[in-house]
Coordinates of all heavy atoms in Angstrom, one line a residue:
Chain B
L1211 N -26.3 12.1 9.4 CA -27.2 12.7 8.4 C -27.8 14.0 9.1 O -28.5 13.9 10.1 CB -28.4 11.7 8.1 CG -29.4 12.3 7.1 CD1 -28.9 12.4 5.7 CD2 -30.6 11.4 7.1
E1212 N -27.4 15.1 8.6 CA -27.9 16.4 9.2 C -28.5 17.3 8.2 O -28.0 17.4 7.0 CB -26.8 17.0 10.1 CG -26.4 16.1 11.2 CD -25.6 16.8 12.3 OE1 -25.6 18.0 12.3 OE2 -25.1 16.1 13.2
L1213 N -29.4 18.1 8.6 CA -30.0 19.1 7.7 C -29.4 20.5 7.9 O -29.2 20.9 9.0 CB -31.5 19.2 8.0 CG -32.4 18.3 7.1 CD1 -31.9 16.8 7.1 CD2 -33.9 18.4 7.5
L1214 N -29.2 21.1 6.8 CA -28.6 22.4 6.7 C -29.7 23.3 6.1 O -30.3 23.0 5.1 CB -27.4 22.4 5.8 CG -26.8 23.7 5.4 CD1 -26.0 24.2 6.5 CD2 -25.9 23.5 4.1
Q1215 N -30.0 24.5 6.8 CA -31.1 25.3 6.3 C -30.5 26.6 5.6 O -29.5 27.2 6.1 CB -31.9 25.8 7.5 CG -32.5 24.7 8.4 CD -33.4 23.7 7.6 OE1 -33.9 24.1 6.5 NE2 -33.5 22.5 8.1
A1216 N -31.0 26.8 4.5 CA -30.6 28.0 3.7 C -31.8 28.8 3.2 O -32.9 28.3 3.1 CB -29.7 27.5 2.5
N1217 N -31.5 30.1 2.9 CA -32.6 30.9 2.3 C -32.1 31.5 1.0 O -30.9 31.9 0.9 CB -33.0 32.0 3.2 CG -33.8 31.5 4.4 OD1 -34.8 30.8 4.2 ND2 -33.3 31.8 5.6
W1218 N -33.0 31.6 0.1 CA -32.7 32.1 -1.3 C -33.4 33.4 -1.5 O -34.7 33.4 -1.5 CB -33.1 31.1 -2.3 CG -33.1 31.5 -3.8 CD1 -34.2 31.4 -4.6 CD2 -32.0 31.9 -4.6 NE1 -33.9 31.8 -5.9 CE2 -32.5 32.1 -5.9 CE3 -30.7 32.2 -4.3 CZ2 -31.7 32.5 -6.9 CZ3 -29.9 32.6 -5.4 CH2 -30.4 32.8 -6.7
H1219 N -32.7 34.6 -1.4 CA -33.4 35.8 -1.7 C -32.4 36.8 -2.3 O -31.2 36.7 -2.0 CB -34.2 36.4 -0.5 CG -33.4 36.7 0.7 ND1 -32.7 37.9 0.8 CD2 -33.1 36.0 1.7 CE1 -32.1 37.9 2.0 NE2 -32.3 36.7 2.6
D1220 N -32.9 37.8 -3.1 CA -32.0 38.8 -3.7 C -30.9 38.1 -4.5 O -29.8 38.6 -4.5 CB -31.4 39.7 -2.7 CG -32.5 40.5 -1.9 OD1 -33.6 40.6 -2.4 OD2 -32.2 40.9 -0.7
G1221 N -31.2 37.0 -5.1 CA -30.2 36.3 -6.0 C -29.0 35.7 -5.2 O -28.0 35.4 -5.8
S1222 N -29.2 35.5 -3.9 CA -28.1 34.9 -3.2 C -28.6 33.8 -2.2 O -29.8 33.9 -1.8 CB -27.3 35.9 -2.3 OG -26.6 36.8 -3.1
V1223 N -27.8 32.9 -1.9 CA -28.1 31.9 -0.9 C -27.6 32.3 0.5 O -26.3 32.6 0.6 CB -27.6 30.5 -1.3 CG1 -27.9 29.5 -0.1 CG2 -28.3 30.0 -2.5
H1224 N -28.4 32.5 1.4 CA -28.0 32.9 2.8 C -28.0 31.8 3.7 O -29.0 31.0 3.7 CB -28.9 34.1 3.2 CG -28.8 35.2 2.3 ND1 -28.0 36.3 2.5 CD2 -29.5 35.5 1.2 CE1 -28.1 37.2 1.5 NE2 -29.1 36.7 0.7
M1225 N -27.1 31.7 4.6 CA -26.9 30.6 5.5 C -26.5 31.2 6.8 O -25.5 31.9 6.9 CB -25.9 29.7 4.9 CG -26.1 28.3 5.1 SD -24.7 27.4 4.3 CE -25.5 27.0 2.7
A1226 N -27.2 30.9 7.9 CA -26.8 31.4 9.2 C -26.0 30.3 9.9 O -25.9 29.2 9.5 CB -28.1 31.7 10.0
H1227 N -25.4 30.7 11.0 CA -24.6 29.9 11.8 C -25.5 28.8 12.5 O -26.5 29.2 13.1 CB -23.9 30.7 12.9 CG -22.8 30.0 13.6 ND1 -23.0 29.2 14.7 CD2 -21.5 30.0 13.4 CE1 -21.9 28.7 15.1 NE2 -20.9 29.2 14.3
Q1228 N -25.2 27.6 12.3 CA -26.0 26.5 12.8 C -25.2 25.6 13.7 O -24.1 26.0 14.1 CB -26.7 25.7 11.7 CG -27.6 26.7 10.8 CD -28.0 26.1 9.5 OE1 -28.5 25.0 9.4 NE2 -27.9 26.9 8.5
A1229 N -25.7 24.4 14.0 CA -24.9 23.6 15.0 C -23.6 23.2 14.4 O -23.4 22.8 13.3 CB -25.7 22.3 15.2
L1230 N -22.5 23.3 15.2 CA -21.2 22.9 14.9 C -20.7 21.8 15.8 O -20.6 22.1 17.0 CB -20.2 24.1 15.0 CG -20.2 25.3 14.1 CD1 -19.0 26.1 14.3 CD2 -20.3 24.8 12.6
A1231 N -20.5 20.6 15.3 CA -19.8 19.6 16.1 C -18.4 20.2 16.4 O -17.8 20.9 15.7 CB -19.7 18.3 15.4
P1232 N -17.9 19.8 17.6 CA -16.6 20.4 18.0 C -15.4 20.0 17.0 O -15.5 18.8 16.5 CB -16.3 19.9 19.4 CG -17.2 18.7 19.5 CD -18.4 18.9 18.6
Q1233 N -14.5 20.9 16.8 CA -13.3 20.5 16.0 C -12.4 19.7 17.0 O -12.1 20.2 18.1 CB -12.7 21.8 15.5 CG -11.3 21.7 14.9 CD -11.4 21.3 13.4 OE1 -11.4 20.1 13.1 NE2 -11.3 22.3 12.5
Q1234 N -11.9 18.6 16.5 CA -11.1 17.8 17.4 C -9.7 18.3 17.5 O -9.1 18.8 16.6 CB -11.1 16.3 16.9 CG -12.4 15.6 17.0 CD -12.2 14.1 16.6 OE1 -11.7 13.9 15.5 NE2 -12.5 13.2 17.5
Q1235 N -9.1 18.0 18.6 CA -7.6 18.2 18.8 C -6.9 17.1 18.0 O -7.4 16.0 17.7 CB -7.2 18.0 20.3 CG -7.8 19.1 21.2 CD -7.4 20.5 20.7 OE1 -6.3 20.8 20.6 NE2 -8.4 21.3 20.5
D1236 N -5.6 17.4 17.6 CA -4.9 16.4 16.8 C -4.8 15.0 17.4 O -5.0 14.0 16.7 CB -3.5 16.9 16.6 CG -3.4 17.8 15.3 OD1 -4.4 17.9 14.6 OD2 -2.3 18.4 15.1
L1237 N -4.5 14.9 18.7 CA -4.3 13.6 19.3 C -5.6 12.8 19.3 O -5.7 11.6 19.1 CB -3.8 13.7 20.8 CG -2.3 13.9 20.9 CD1 -1.9 14.0 22.4 CD2 -1.5 12.8 20.2
D1238 N -6.7 13.5 19.6 CA -8.0 12.9 19.5 C -8.3 12.4 18.1 O -8.8 11.2 18.0 CB -9.1 13.9 19.8 CG -9.4 14.1 21.3 OD1 -9.3 13.1 22.0 OD2 -9.6 15.3 21.7
S1239 N -8.1 13.2 17.1 CA -8.4 12.8 15.8 C -7.5 11.6 15.3 O -8.0 10.7 14.7 CB -8.4 13.9 14.8 OG -7.2 14.5 14.7
V1240 N -6.2 11.7 15.7 CA -5.3 10.6 15.3 C -5.8 9.3 16.0 O -5.9 8.2 15.3 CB -3.9 10.9 15.6 CG1 -3.0 9.7 15.5 CG2 -3.3 12.0 14.6
Y1241 N -6.1 9.4 17.2 CA -6.5 8.2 17.9 C -7.8 7.6 17.3 O -7.9 6.4 17.1 CB -6.7 8.4 19.4 CG -6.9 7.1 20.2 CD1 -5.8 6.4 20.6 CD2 -8.1 6.7 20.6 CE1 -5.9 5.1 21.2 CE2 -8.3 5.4 21.2 CZ -7.2 4.7 21.5 OH -7.3 3.5 22.2
Q1242 N -8.7 8.5 17.0 CA -10.0 8.0 16.4 C -9.7 7.5 15.0 O -10.4 6.5 14.5 CB -11.0 9.2 16.2 CG -11.7 9.5 17.5 CD -12.5 8.3 18.1 OE1 -13.2 7.7 17.3 NE2 -12.3 8.1 19.3
A1243 N -8.7 8.0 14.3 CA -8.4 7.5 13.0 C -7.9 6.0 13.1 O -8.3 5.1 12.3 CB -7.3 8.3 12.3
L1244 N -7.1 5.8 14.1 CA -6.5 4.4 14.3 C -7.7 3.4 14.7 O -7.7 2.3 14.2 CB -5.4 4.4 15.4 CG -4.3 5.4 15.1 CD1 -3.3 5.4 16.2 CD2 -3.6 5.1 13.7
V1245 N -8.6 3.9 15.5 CA -9.7 3.1 16.0 C -10.6 2.8 14.8 O -11.0 1.6 14.5 CB -10.5 3.7 17.1 CG1 -11.8 3.0 17.4 CG2 -9.6 3.8 18.4
T1246 N -10.9 3.8 14.0 CA -11.8 3.7 12.9 C -11.2 2.8 11.8 O -11.9 1.9 11.3 CB -12.1 5.1 12.2 OG1 -12.7 5.9 13.3 CG2 -13.1 5.0 11.1
G1247 N -10.0 3.0 11.5 CA -9.3 2.2 10.5 C -9.3 0.7 10.9 O -9.5 -0.2 10.0
T1248 N -9.0 0.5 12.1 CA -8.9 -0.9 12.6 C -10.3 -1.6 12.6 O -10.5 -2.7 12.1 CB -8.3 -1.0 14.0 OG1 -7.0 -0.3 14.0 CG2 -8.2 -2.4 14.6
R1249 N -11.3 -0.8 13.1 CA -12.6 -1.4 13.2 C -13.2 -1.7 11.8 O -13.7 -2.8 11.6 CB -13.6 -0.4 13.9 CG -15.0 -0.8 14.0 CD -16.0 0.3 14.3 NE -15.7 0.8 15.7 CZ -15.5 2.1 16.0 NH1 -15.6 3.0 15.0 NH2 -15.2 2.4 17.2
D1250 N -13.0 -0.8 10.9 CA -13.6 -1.0 9.5 C -12.8 -2.1 8.8 O -13.5 -2.9 8.1 CB -13.6 0.3 8.7 CG -14.9 1.0 9.0 OD1 -15.6 0.7 10.0 OD2 -15.2 2.0 8.3
Y1251 N -11.5 -2.2 9.0 CA -10.8 -3.3 8.3 C -11.3 -4.7 8.8 O -11.6 -5.6 8.1 CB -9.3 -3.2 8.5 CG -8.6 -4.2 7.6 CD1 -8.4 -4.0 6.3 CD2 -8.2 -5.4 8.2 CE1 -7.7 -4.9 5.5 CE2 -7.5 -6.4 7.3 CZ -7.3 -6.1 6.0 OH -6.7 -7.0 5.2
V1252 N -11.5 -4.8 10.1 CA -11.9 -6.0 10.7 C -13.4 -6.4 10.3 O -13.7 -7.5 9.9 CB -11.8 -6.0 12.3 CG1 -12.4 -7.2 12.9 CG2 -10.3 -5.9 12.6
N1253 N -14.2 -5.4 10.4 CA -15.6 -5.7 10.2 C -16.0 -5.8 8.7 O -16.7 -6.7 8.3 CB -16.5 -4.6 10.8 CG -16.5 -4.7 12.3 OD1 -16.2 -5.7 12.9 ND2 -16.8 -3.6 13.0
K1254 N -15.4 -4.9 7.9 CA -15.7 -5.0 6.5 C -15.2 -6.2 5.8 O -15.7 -6.7 4.8 CB -15.2 -3.7 5.7 CG -16.0 -2.4 6.1 CD -15.4 -1.2 5.3 CE -16.3 0.0 5.5 NZ -15.8 1.2 4.7
N1255 N -14.1 -6.8 6.4 CA -13.6 -8.1 5.9 C -14.1 -9.3 6.6 O -13.7 -10.4 6.4 CB -12.0 -8.0 6.0 CG -11.5 -7.2 4.9 OD1 -11.6 -7.5 3.7 ND2 -10.9 -6.0 5.3
G1256 N -15.1 -9.1 7.5 CA -15.8 -10.2 8.1 C -15.0 -11.0 9.1 O -15.3 -12.2 9.3
F1257 N -14.0 -10.4 9.8 CA -13.3 -11.2 10.8 C -14.2 -11.3 12.1 O -14.8 -10.3 12.5 CB -12.0 -10.6 11.2 CG -11.0 -10.8 10.1 CD1 -10.7 -9.8 9.1 CD2 -10.3 -12.0 10.0 CE1 -9.8 -10.0 8.1 CE2 -9.4 -12.2 8.9 CZ -9.1 -11.2 8.0
K1258 N -14.1 -12.4 12.8 CA -14.7 -12.5 14.1 C -14.1 -11.6 15.1 O -14.8 -11.0 16.0 CB -14.6 -14.0 14.6 CG -15.4 -15.0 13.9 CD -14.9 -16.4 14.1 CE -14.9 -16.8 15.6 NZ -14.4 -18.2 15.8
G1259 N -12.8 -11.5 15.2 CA -12.2 -10.7 16.1 C -10.7 -10.6 15.8 O -10.3 -10.8 14.6
V1260 N -9.9 -10.1 16.7 CA -8.5 -10.0 16.5 C -7.7 -10.6 17.6 O -8.1 -10.8 18.7 CB -8.1 -8.5 16.4 CG1 -8.7 -7.8 15.2 CG2 -8.3 -7.8 17.7
V1261 N -6.4 -11.0 17.2 CA -5.5 -11.5 18.2 C -4.2 -10.7 18.0 O -3.8 -10.3 16.9 CB -5.3 -13.0 18.0 CG1 -4.7 -13.4 16.6 CG2 -4.4 -13.6 19.1
L1262 N -3.5 -10.5 19.1 CA -2.2 -9.8 19.0 C -1.2 -10.3 20.1 O -1.7 -10.8 21.1 CB -2.3 -8.3 19.0 CG -2.5 -7.6 20.4 CD1 -2.2 -6.1 20.3 CD2 -3.9 -7.8 20.9
G1263 N 0.0 -10.2 19.8 CA 1.1 -10.5 20.7 C 1.3 -9.4 21.7 O 1.6 -8.3 21.2
L1264 N 1.1 -9.6 22.9 CA 1.2 -8.5 23.9 C 2.5 -8.7 24.7 O 2.7 -9.7 25.3 CB 0.0 -8.6 24.9 CG -0.2 -7.4 25.8 CD1 -0.5 -6.1 25.0 CD2 -1.3 -7.7 26.8
S1265 N 3.5 -7.8 24.5 CA 4.9 -8.1 24.9 C 5.2 -7.4 26.2 O 6.3 -7.7 26.7 CB 5.8 -7.6 23.8 OG 5.8 -6.1 23.8
G1266 N 4.4 -6.5 26.7 CA 4.7 -5.7 27.8 C 5.3 -4.4 27.4 O 5.6 -3.5 28.2
G1267 N 5.5 -4.2 26.1 CA 6.1 -3.0 25.5 C 4.9 -2.0 25.1 O 3.8 -2.4 25.1
I1268 N 5.3 -0.8 24.7 CA 4.3 0.2 24.5 C 3.5 0.1 23.2 O 2.4 0.4 23.1 CB 4.9 1.6 24.7 CG1 3.8 2.7 24.8 CG2 5.9 1.9 23.5 CD1 4.4 4.0 25.3
D1269 N 4.2 -0.5 22.2 CA 3.5 -0.6 20.9 C 2.3 -1.6 21.0 O 1.2 -1.3 20.5 CB 4.5 -1.1 19.8 CG 5.6 -0.1 19.6 OD1 5.4 1.1 19.5 OD2 6.8 -0.5 19.6
S1270 N 2.6 -2.7 21.5 CA 1.5 -3.7 21.6 C 0.5 -3.2 22.7 O -0.7 -3.5 22.5 CB 2.0 -5.1 22.0 OG 2.7 -5.1 23.2
A1271 N 0.9 -2.5 23.7 CA -0.1 -2.0 24.7 C -1.0 -1.0 24.0 O -2.3 -1.1 24.2 CB 0.7 -1.3 25.8
L1272 N -0.5 -0.1 23.2 CA -1.4 0.9 22.5 C -2.3 0.2 21.5 O -3.4 0.5 21.4 CB -0.5 2.0 21.9 CG -1.3 3.1 21.1 CD1 -2.3 3.8 22.1 CD2 -0.4 4.1 20.4
T1273 N -1.7 -0.8 20.8 CA -2.5 -1.5 19.8 C -3.6 -2.2 20.5 O -4.8 -2.3 20.0 CB -1.6 -2.5 19.0 OG1 -0.5 -1.8 18.5 CG2 -2.4 -3.2 17.9

Side-chain angles (χ1 to χ4, degrees):
Chain B
L1211 177 72
E1212 297 199 8
L1213 264 51
L1214 171 76
Q1215 305 302 336
N1217 289 305
W1218 169 239
H1219 61 88
D1220 302 336
S1222 294
V1223 173
H1224 300 267
M1225 215 178 263
H1227 194 277
Q1228 300 165 46
L1230 288 191
Q1233 172 81 274
Q1234 290 185 303
Q1235 297 300 308
D1236 272 352
L1237 279 180
D1238 276 322
S1239 63
V1240 167
Y1241 191 80
Q1242 281 301 315
L1244 305 179
V1245 168
T1246 301
T1248 304
R1249 179 193 295 129
D1250 273 9
Y1251 189 80
V1252 171
N1253 289 341
K1254 289 181 174 180
N1255 285 292
F1257 287 98
K1258 288 162 56 179
V1260 297
V1261 59
L1262 78 165
L1264 193 64
S1265 70
I1268 193 166
D1269 300 311
S1270 59
L1272 179 61
T1273 304

